[in-house]
Structures are given as C-alpha cells and as structure tokens.
C-alpha cells in the first residue's frame, strides 16, 4: 500500500506546512487492512529535501519516477495499491500508466484537475519550498496519458456535492461563482473516473480532504480495493455500507 498525500485546497496556512505523509493517520486507524504501507513526503514538501531545480517542472511525471525509485530503494518489489489525494492522485495515475506491472489497484481521492474555473488554464501549482511545479504545459505528456490505465480495481472518491458553497470566495481567484465551481469540480471528478474506468463514490459531507473528514469512508473503499487486488476478483462495494460510512456509490 502506498499513500500519496496532496496539498489540500481546504487547508489553512502555507503549503510547506502540510505533511502529506502524516495526514493519513486518521484513515489508517479506521482501516482493517493488514498490509505493509509506505507513506512519504514528495521532494520539497514537509520533511523531504527540495527537488533538483531542473526536475521541478516535471510535476506528476517526475514524481511518479521518484516513487518508483523510492519503492526500489526500500525493497518493495510486488505490485502496490496506490491511494492518492489531490495532487497525489495525479501522481498515482501517472505511476499506474508508467508502471502497470507495479500497480495492483488504486483509490484516487478528489483528484485535482488541470483545468478548473471555466475554459481558462489554471496557473501552475507549486508544492512547498523547492517542490515540483504541476503545470499542464510541462506535466501532460499526451503519449503518457494515452497509455492505457491498467485493468486493476480503481475507485475515484469525490468530495461532497455543495462543498464549494461553504468555501470563502476570497480564498480563490476563480472567474466563476462558487455554485458553478462546485458543479465543475464534480464534473471533473466524473471525467477522472471515466478516464481510468473507475467506480465512483461521492462523500455525503466531506470536503476536499475526504480522508480526514470521512476516514471511515476512505477506509472502506481502500479495504475493498485491496481485497479485490489480493483475490484477483472483481471490486465489490456494498451501497449500504458505503452510505453508513459517509458516501454514495454512483451506480452505472
């Protein structure tokens, strides 16, 4: 199991104060999964050293390569289940496309889209001090994103419908009202699920940091993906169990 944190849009304070590796502790405490886990801070974030300057524009491509080197360095040889939040979900997707033989399953939690706020392009997102720059101009390799996502169990777990309506507008420079932003965010989550042929779950009330706001929900989803990966069977999610844990299973 590999946990990839992200820079939470709902977190106060400076980006460099966020600890992506440690933010999973609440969700892990809820989980019944018994497996080796890897949690880490990407280059330039929290306790990790800055990324080399020439690699900073690499975004998810460079971060996925960094994850591969990390797993090799610590001796993880078997395929892994990736659990990524926000920008971490983007890295998880790129890793799965680059290394399908190393990927057993994935849970992508409220993945941050490249385009958000109408038709305009977002400005780049920089991780921490000396962190990587996630920018569509550098990060999206058309060839990479056209490589098929491996046929593994995968879930896209979105934040609650309406959560943008409770976000102070002054925190963002979006050229659209918050109600429209909320609809656009949910549409981007559906597109992410379609892109990787994933099952989609939507949280009842959780904000962007679903794993902190609804740890039991994330734990149930992760358990289901791990079980499906271990047994090489189909992904099974019980709608009533998901509802009780704080989410809604989107049925095809």
């Amino acid at each position: 199991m590999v946990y990839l944190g992200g820079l939470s849009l709902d977190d106060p304070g400076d980006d460099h104060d966020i600890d992506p590796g440690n933010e999973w502790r609440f969700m892990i405490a809820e989980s019944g999964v018994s497996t080796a886990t890897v949690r880490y801070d990407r280059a330039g974030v929290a306790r990790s050293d800055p990324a080399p300057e020439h690699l900073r524009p690499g975004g998810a491509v460079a971060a996925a390569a960094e994850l591969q080197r990390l797993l090799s360095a610590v001796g993880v040889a078997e395929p892994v289940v990736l659990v990524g939040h926000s920008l971490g979900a983007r890295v998880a997707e790129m890793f799965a496309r680059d290394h399908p033989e190393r990927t057993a399953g994935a849970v992508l939690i409220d993945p941050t889209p490249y385009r958000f706020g109408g038709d305009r392009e977002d400005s780049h997102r920089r991780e921490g001090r000396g962190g990587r720059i996630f920018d569509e101009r550098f990060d999206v390799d058309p060839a990479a994103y056209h490589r098929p996502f491996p046929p593994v169990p995968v879930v896209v777990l979105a934040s609650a419908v309406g959560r943008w309506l409770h976000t102070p507008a002054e925190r963002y420079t979006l050229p659209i009202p918050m109600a429209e932003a909320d609809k656009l965010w949910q549409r981007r989550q559906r597109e992410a699920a379609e892109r990787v042929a994933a099952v989609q779950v939507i949280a009842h009330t959780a904000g962007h940091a679903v794993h902190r706001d609804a740890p039991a929900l994330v734990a149930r989803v992760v358990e289901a993906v791990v079980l499906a990966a271990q047994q090489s069977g189909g992904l099974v999610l019980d709608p009533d169990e998901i509802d009780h844990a704080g989410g809604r299973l989107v049925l095809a």
Side-chain angles (χ1 to χ4, degrees):
M1 184 87 64
V2 178
Y3 293 98
L4 302 96
L7 297 182
S8 177
L9 292 176
D10 291 341
D11 275 327
D14 294 331
D15 289 344
H16 65 271
D17 292 329
I18 300 171
D19 185 344
N22 194 41
E23 66 178 6
W24 300 98
R25 63 189 184 279
F26 304 110
M27 171 260 153
I28 292 174
E30 293 275 357
S31 177
V33 171
S34 178
T35 183
T37 63
V38 174
R39 293 179 290 160
Y40 74 106
D41 300 327
R42 288 187 293 278
V45 178
R47 295 182 294 270
S48 290
D49 293 334
E53 189 168 355
H54 70 284
L55 291 179
R56 291 176 190 173
V61 175
E66 175 186 83
L67 174 57
Q68 168 66 5
R69 292 193 297 271
L70 171 66
L71 294 177
S72 297
V74 299
V76 177
E78 64 272 15
V80 296
V81 171
L82 304 158
V83 183
H85 167 242
S86 193
L87 289 176
R90 189 180 298 170
V91 176
E93 180 181 350
M94 182 60 69
F95 180 92
R97 292 183 187 277
D98 284 346
H99 305 284
E101 77 287 351
R102 299 296 311 277
T103 306
V107 178
L108 308 180
I109 303 172
D110 223 30
T112 298
Y114 277 108
R115 293 177 182 268
F116 189 67
D119 294 328
R120 73 179 183 90
E121 291 187 12
D122 279 350
S123 60
H124 65 253
R125 300 180 185 276
R126 183 185 297 273
E127 283 201 305
R129 295 175 177 172
R132 290 199 168 85
I133 300 170
F134 286 75
D135 190 309
E136 186 175 41
R137 294 171 299 171
F138 302 115
D139 200 18
V140 177
D141 174 358
Y145 272 94
H146 280 92
R147 288 197 293 272
F149 196 87
V152 297
V154 55
V155 175
V156 169
L157 177 49
S159 55
V161 174
R163 67 104 172 170
W164 278 86
L165 303 181
H166 307 291
T167 301
E170 63 270 16
R171 293 195 56 190
Y172 301 97
T173 56
L174 298 179
I176 57 176
M178 287 293 111
E180 188 175 338
D182 194 80
K183 293 178 181 178
L184 179 59
W185 186 270
Q186 291 296 327
R187 184 162 74 246
R188 293 290 183 261
Q189 300 306 301
R190 291 194 298 273
E191 291 170 354
E194 293 169 358
R195 189 170 64 241
V196 298
V199 173
Q200 188 180 9
V201 173
I202 302 176
H204 289 329
T205 60
H208 183 51
V210 186
H211 53 306
R212 292 205 304 265
D213 294 345
L217 173 62
V218 179
R220 299 294 85 76
V221 170
V222 169
E223 288 167 1
V225 170
V226 170
L227 184 62
Q230 289 175 338
Q231 298 182 350
S232 299
L235 177 66
V236 178
L237 289 170
D238 183 279
D240 292 333
E241 184 178 356
I242 292 298
D243 178 71
H244 181 73
R248 173 173 61 88
L249 181 61
V250 178
L251 302 175

